[in-house]
Amino acid sequence: MKFVSDPAIADKIRKMNQRVKWQDPLVVQRSIDQTRLVLNDDRAEEPEFSFLVVGDSGSGSHYTYNPQRQVAELMLPHRQECRFLLHTGDVIYLVGSSEYYQKNFIEPYREFICGGEQPQRIAYDQMIFEFPILPVPGNHDYYDLPLVYGLVSLATLPIRNIIGSKLDLDVGWHGSKQGDAYARAFLDYLKVFMLPPDLARHLDTHYTAKTDTGRCLHYKPGIFTCLPNRYYTFRYSGIDFFALDSNTFNDPSPLPATQQGDIDRQILEKRRVEMEQQKQEIMETSNQLDPNDPSEAEHLDDLRAKLSQIEEIVVDIDKQLAADHKTVVDTEQLDWLKQRLIKSWHTKEVRGRVIYFHHPPYVTEATKWNQAQTLAVRDRLRNVLDGVAAEVGSLAEGRPLVDLVLNGHAHCLEHLQTMNTGHADSNINWIVCGGSGYSLRRQRTEGTDLLEDQKLVARSQLFVGRTGQGSQKRRPYSCLRIDVKDGCPPKFVVRPLVVERYQRQWRDRQVQPFTI
């Protein structure tokens, strides 16, 4: 039984374009770049600055504790010294519903939001940030409820009634409506302007920043803090940041119609049956636990997290097994990234480049490292960077094309470095920041080295995730502070901020900073 429904990529693209009135005649007439923003910050030209990173923060409900609030409190002492916060996706669990923004986002991050002293009065689609929060969508921000659960919710029955379990899944009455809740919460939802004069007035008020790619949205903390699009770019202190929506280029290639393809299909079908059996076992186990007992309540939290983890694996398998599967790739976004990276390398005042998006191309977390979606994203980003390298040529002078790539999706904190991959993604630093709220995961038993055709392509340098068993289980939740130093190329001092849950107590955990 499926607990989530993932919309088709073509639907994601089409719906999001409608919401921001992509390339509307009034937008085109004004030469507006809908993929760019300018931060209203007098300090944007200072050579050194810091920023925060958080990901997979949508923790849902817990019987005994709320890690998301603990992580938010980790960041608060750094807020004055940092300029903005990047979010690597999965803002809301389990299905991106607007119903859960209050407890999944507004309440935990209330100090970052105007009016946060009374968070219950803040509507999810009316948030204005005092401190810039710049997210990308995660897969859960696009998820919806399967029809049967929607009907159950409409009947005001808890989901646990239909699944025969004590586990209350955080799904509410509906899902994300194909990413609509995320769009209303964070994007400039131009669809609400039905009359051309109203749209024109809005564009002339908020798209006033002038750049070399045209007019663009002026992001003003405390006044107007919407994003122009699901993917976008901004420049700060000579660093170009590129925010991507990896949900539209993570579609795995179909299994080939060959003997090996048939064997792979049988393996996947067998694994899917095993996943369904594990779901049933989890639900049966949950019925034997008492949520009023602290130790058993924590076990219930783990079971609910495990159920979500299995569901993501099932989604990945189903994408490969779909009989009518035709791979859809968001070529418009990838072409945009390629051209903007080329332009960035030809712009003298740019001294560094950071890309952030949800699905990590490189990771050693046990459930994500070899998923079809992981490999698909790796392949497509490689193709982009290979194309950039061909155009940039000697301009890079031995530097990697990108200084840093930030991701989420894998529920851990990890730093990896690629070796010589044979492609333009060689010698890049990759950081997975996805351990900020929900269902921490373990590192794979296969070790820290990632291979392709027996060739070493990447190595994990740091992994912070779940360890131990039973009463010795450790759950280190994390976020990052990154200090950008002067110079070209710049240095990035990465400061992990970690708070650990151990034996039903919270304690700070020290992880040494490292320099990229």
Side-chain angles (χ1 to χ4, degrees):
M1 184 176 290
K2 291 183 66 174
F3 299 128
V4 302
S5 172
D6 191 18
I9 284 178
D11 291 335
K12 294 174 184 175
I13 296 171
R14 177 174 54 84
K15 292 283 189 179
M16 284 299 197
N17 282 349
Q18 291 172 351
R19 291 159 186 156
V20 298
K21 286 188 176 286
W22 180 251
Q23 297 298 288
D24 184 273
L26 291 176
V27 172
V28 174
Q29 289 171 14
R30 287 161 172 74
S31 299
I32 289 174
D33 180 354
Q34 286 183 280
T35 64
R36 190 163 182 175
L37 64 84
V38 168
L39 280 173
N40 187 40
D41 189 340
D42 295 336
R43 303 169 295 174
E45 298 305 319
E46 294 178 3
E48 297 190 348
F49 68 98
S50 301
F51 63 94
L52 297 166
V53 186
V54 69
D56 295 78
S57 63
S59 61
S61 60
H62 283 68
Y63 286 102
T64 54
Y65 62 94
N66 187 343
Q68 192 177 26
R69 180 57 187 171
Q70 295 289 328
V71 171
E73 290 177 352
L74 274 181
M75 296 189 292
L76 287 177
H78 301 272
R79 185 176 54 169
Q80 295 301 320
E81 297 178 358
C82 294
R83 307 296 173 80
F84 49 81
L85 183 155
L86 305 183
H87 195 301
T88 61
D90 278 359
V91 180
I92 303 298
Y93 278 84
L94 184 58
V95 288
S97 171
S98 60
E99 300 166 89
Y100 284 87
Y101 269 83
Q102 183 63 233
K103 70 175 183 178
N104 258 209
F105 188 83
I106 296 171
E107 173 67 25
Y109 297 102
R110 53 188 180 270
E111 290 90 352
F112 296 85
I113 308 173
C114 292
E117 62 278 1
Q118 294 180 306
Q120 69 280 2
R121 295 188 177 184
I122 301 174
Y124 86 99
D125 56 352
Q126 299 294 321
M127 292 187 294
I128 298 175
F129 300 115
E130 289 186 352
F131 183 88
I133 296 181
L134 307 167
V136 291
N139 52 301
H140 286 269
D141 299 314
Y142 273 114
Y143 280 170
D144 283 313
L145 276 177
L147 178 60
V148 63
Y149 295 138
L151 294 175
V152 169
S153 293
L154 286 173
T156 69
L157 295 174
I159 292 297
R160 63 174 180 264
N161 285 9
I162 194 172
I163 66 176
S165 168
K166 286 184 180 178
L167 295 177
D168 270 329
L169 302 180
D170 293 303
V171 293
W173 290 72
H174 53 76
S176 75
K177 298 182 179 178
Q178 299 180 322
D180 188 69
Y182 175 92
R184 289 180 181 273
F186 296 109
L187 305 190
D188 192 15
Y189 203 92
L190 299 181
K191 187 179 177 181
V192 300
F193 298 105
M194 304 299 293
L195 300 177
D198 294 336
L199 175 60
R201 191 177 306 111
H202 178 85
L203 295 174
D204 292 340
T205 300
H206 297 295
Y207 289 73
T208 56
K210 296 180 181 179
T211 71
D212 55 355
T213 57
R215 283 171 53 181
C216 73
L217 184 145
H218 202 167
Y219 188 104
K220 300 178 181 180
I223 301 172
F224 183 78
T225 55
C226 295
L227 303 174
N229 193 26
R230 62 190 172 90
Y231 62 91
Y232 55 94
T233 184
F234 66 96
R235 183 171 298 162
Y236 197 97
S237 185
I239 307 295
D240 276 350
F241 290 84
F242 302 89
L244 307 179
D245 180 3
S246 57
N247 297 278
T248 57
F249 59 87
N250 66 334
D251 203 5
S253 300
L255 295 171
T258 62
Q259 183 177 6
Q260 184 59 51
D262 291 340
I263 293 173
D264 292 341
R265 178 176 291 276
Q266 291 172 8
I267 293 173
L268 287 171
E269 288 172 343
K270 180 181 178 182
R271 191 171 185 221
R272 197 191 189 291
V273 171
E274 292 172 350
M275 293 295 101
E276 291 297 334
Q277 290 173 343
Q278 288 187 33
K279 283 185 189 179
Q280 188 60 39
E281 291 170 2
I282 287 172
M283 290 185 285
E284 291 172 358
T285 301
S286 72
N287 286 331
Q288 302 170 16
L289 300 175
D290 180 5
N292 296 313
D293 182 314
S295 61
E296 293 190 1
E298 202 157 273
H299 192 188
L300 277 170
D301 285 336
D302 288 344
L303 289 176
R304 181 164 46 190
K306 180 67 174 177
L307 201 61
S308 172
Q309 174 183 332
I310 292 173
E311 189 67 11
E312 287 190 358
I313 296 173
V314 170
V315 168
D316 189 73
I317 292 173
D318 285 346
K319 285 178 180 289
Q320 299 172 76
L321 290 178
D324 57 348
H325 178 59
K326 294 181 180 179
T327 304
V328 177
V329 181
D330 187 359
T331 55
E332 183 176 30
Q333 180 183 183
L334 295 176
D335 287 344
W336 170 86
L337 176 62
K338 175 183 172 182
Q339 296 306 319
R340 290 302 170 94
L341 279 171
I342 293 170
K343 186 176 182 64
S344 178
W345 273 101
H346 283 91
T347 304
K348 291 183 179 180
E349 59 264 32
V350 177
R351 60 192 178 101
R353 292 148 202 90
V354 175
I355 299 178
Y356 64 106
F357 53 94
H358 189 58
H359 299 80
Y362 294 95
V363 65
T364 65
E365 186 259 288
T367 67
K368 299 294 194 300
W369 72 276
N370 64 345
Q371 277 194 2
Q373 294 175 79
T374 299
L375 302 179
V377 170
R378 184 189 302 179
D379 181 61
R380 280 147 203 165
L381 186 62
R382 268 184 182 171
N383 288 339
V384 169
L385 294 179
D386 285 347
V388 174
E391 293 288 336
V392 168
S394 61
L395 275 177
E397 296 180 342
R399 287 179 57 184
L401 291 176
V402 179
D403 296 280
L404 181 60
V405 180
L406 299 165
N407 303 112
H409 195 48
H411 295 185
C412 61
L413 173 63
E414 182 168 23
H415 171 219
L416 305 99
Q417 290 176 303
T418 42
M419 312 303 177
N420 180 7
T421 66
H423 297 272
D425 64 348
S426 300
N427 306 312
I428 289 177
N429 285 278
W430 313 74
I431 297 179
V432 179
C433 184
S436 304
Y438 194 87
S439 175
L440 294 180
R441 311 282 166 80
R442 301 176 187 272
Q443 192 168 32
R444 67 179 199 156
T445 58
E446 292 86 349
T448 59
D449 291 352
L450 291 174
L451 307 179
E452 286 182 356
D453 299 325
Q454 306 304 311
K455 175 185 177 182
L456 177 65
V457 292
R459 175 171 291 153
S460 177
Q461 306 293 325
L462 170 71
F463 188 95
V464 180
R466 181 180 295 197
T467 58
Q469 301 289 340
S471 64
Q472 299 303 306
K473 189 176 294 180
R474 294 181 180 273
R475 301 175 178 85
Y477 297 91
S478 56
C479 57
L480 296 171
R481 169 178 168 163
I482 299 180
D483 303 329
V484 184
K485 300 301 182 180
D486 193 8
C488 183
K491 288 184 178 180
F492 298 82
V493 179
V494 181
R495 303 181 184 276
L497 307 176
V498 182
V499 60
E500 185 171 80
R501 181 79 173 176
Y502 177 62
Q503 294 184 336
R504 299 200 295 276
Q505 299 292 326
W506 289 107
R507 62 193 71 191
D508 290 339
R509 173 171 162 181
Q510 299 300 315
V511 178
Q512 289 300 309
F514 56 92
T515 301
I516 291 173

